[in-house]
Each structure stands twice: as structure tokens, then as C-alpha cells.
Amino acid sequence: MNEYNAVMLLGPTAVGKTSLAVSIADTYNWDIISADSRQVYKGLDIGSGKDLKEYCVGEKSIPYHLIDITTLDEEYNVFKYQTDFYNLFDFFCDSGKIPFIVGGTGMYLDSIVRNYYFMPVPENIELREYLATKSLEELGSMLMSLKPDLHNKSDLTIRERVVRAIEIQLYMKDVKPVERKQKVNAFILGTTLPREILRNNITLRLKERFKEGMIDEVQGLHDSGYSWERLEKLGLEYRYISQFLEGKIDSEEELFNSLNHAIHQFAKRQETWFRGMEKKGALIHWLPSVADKEARYNAAIELLETNGFKR
């Protein structure tokens, strides 16, 4: 008897997760539930790598969820993701269909695998007034003392996020997340590539996105009313391109080189996060680390068939 009630495919950026996931979903007639912190936003198309045209096999469209569900007027977070995800999870389970989660946002994936709800954390006005007297460096040290295993160090560069993270950590010390009655028991597939191939993929993909108009996309978002500060909070492509358009980065060549390096570092952090998930007990079945998509697809199908998932 198959003990799993969900399947998850995770991996770092630029490994071809979407293409592989679409092939698997087509084989099993599954919908795809995205686990990507930026693809939830409308208008973040090129920079977030939605690649919606990939969700097709011939004339058949693969249904997807949690993509293009909100605007930049809203600050989407892991708590909101969990609420949206569990609504879908319960719906699919009740209808006898396997939820298929695909993505690379470690916090989103981890929260599902570990089966808990994040609590909605209220603002602490007194705490915020106290933290306002601290420098960004002092706030960073405070957060690291509260959460030594913090993976996303990039958040330490944004004061608002550091303050919010401290607020959450202090609140969570006294209030524990509520476990769900209907728990996710996901069969987890992992896919990655040899370091040199991954680095090459990242660089080639970035060149393609520049040609597709990624800079114009960010300029258009700003022209439609979103501040540079709001766009920079989105990280990576949106942060660096915003800084370029603000005149903080001198040339498009410097922009490309800096962003390319940052994405390489991000991919490393993703893989570190996945290793951390394994250390915390998640069993990830890693597919062959090869560029051949068909080989990875065949390995995925063999693992799924062996573990009770029938076509």
C-alpha cells in the first residue's frame, strides 16, 4: 500500500525542474503546485523564471497552481503560502488526486515537509520602537543569536526584514506552530547538476533573460507605481536591475557580472538548504546528476513506480 499522499520535486535554480516536472505530471495526470516565493506575483515573469510556455505537452496544458495569485501590493510570505498550499492539499486529497509540489524555495518546501503551520505573528510596537535604535549590524547579530541556523543571509541586508524576523523569532519562542491533523507525507525527488554544468546553465539562462527584456520588465514595474525599494526586496534579478536603473550600478556589463555571480551563490545556498532538510530527517531521493533530461525522467518514473505510484 502506498503510504505517501504527495510528491515533491526540488532542486536549485537552472536545473530544469519545470521541464522535468511537466513530463512527470503528464505521465501521471497530476497538477503542479508551485513552491516559488516570487512566481506567486503577477508581473514578475522573466525575472522569476515562470516559463509558463513549458507547462504544455503537445496540445495538452498541465494545470498549475500558486503562480500569478497576487500582486506586489501584497507582501506574500511563508504563512500565506502554507494557507494557500494546505487548501489545495486538502482539496486534492479529498478528490483522490496526488498533490505534486515543485520548486526551489527552501522555506516553503521545508514548512510542508515538516508538517506545521506558521502562526500569524502580530506586530510588536514596543519591540519595533526598541529595534529602531539599533544599527543594521546590531540587528543582524541579534537575529543570528536567535536563529543561528539562518540560511538566507541576504535578508540581513534589508532592515525591515531583519526587524520582522526578530519579531517572529521572539514570538515563536512562546507560541509553537500548530500541527495539522491531515499531515503531508511526501515522496521527495531531488534533482541537480554537476557544478560546472549548473554554472554554465545559470550564465546562459541569464543571457537569454536579458535578451527577452528582463530590464524592461523591471522598469515597467517601477513605471506602474512600484517603488525601487519594493522591487529590491524581491531579491536577485529585481534587486540588481533596480539598482542598475537607479544608477547605483554603472554599466549593463557590470550588472550582468554581478547578478550572474549572485545567482551562482544563491544556487549554492539552495543546495545547502536541501542538505539541511536531509539532516532534519527529510528523505530526498536524488536523481542522477546528469544533463540528460530523459535519464533523469526515467530515473524519476522508476523511483515513483517502485514506491507505489501507478500510472
Side-chain angles (χ1 to χ4, degrees), residues 182-212:
Q182 184 164 304
K183 293 187 176 183
V184 179
N185 185 22
F187 183 78
I188 309 173
L189 296 168
T191 185
T192 190
L193 293 170
R195 178 68 57 191
E196 200 55 41
I197 295 177
L198 181 58
R199 288 178 60 85
N200 188 54
N201 277 9
I202 289 171
T203 301
L204 288 175
R205 190 180 67 172
L206 187 59
K207 288 179 180 177
E208 290 172 1
R209 290 182 178 175
F210 268 69
K211 290 177 182 177
E212 290 170 6

Side-chain angles (χ1 to χ4, degrees), residues 238-254:
Y238 295 96
R239 178 186 302 151
Y240 281 84
I241 293 174
S242 292
Q243 291 174 350
F244 168 70
L245 293 171
E246 291 176 86
K248 296 177 181 177
I249 296 176
D250 292 334
S251 67
E252 194 168 318
E253 181 181 6
E254 181 186 344

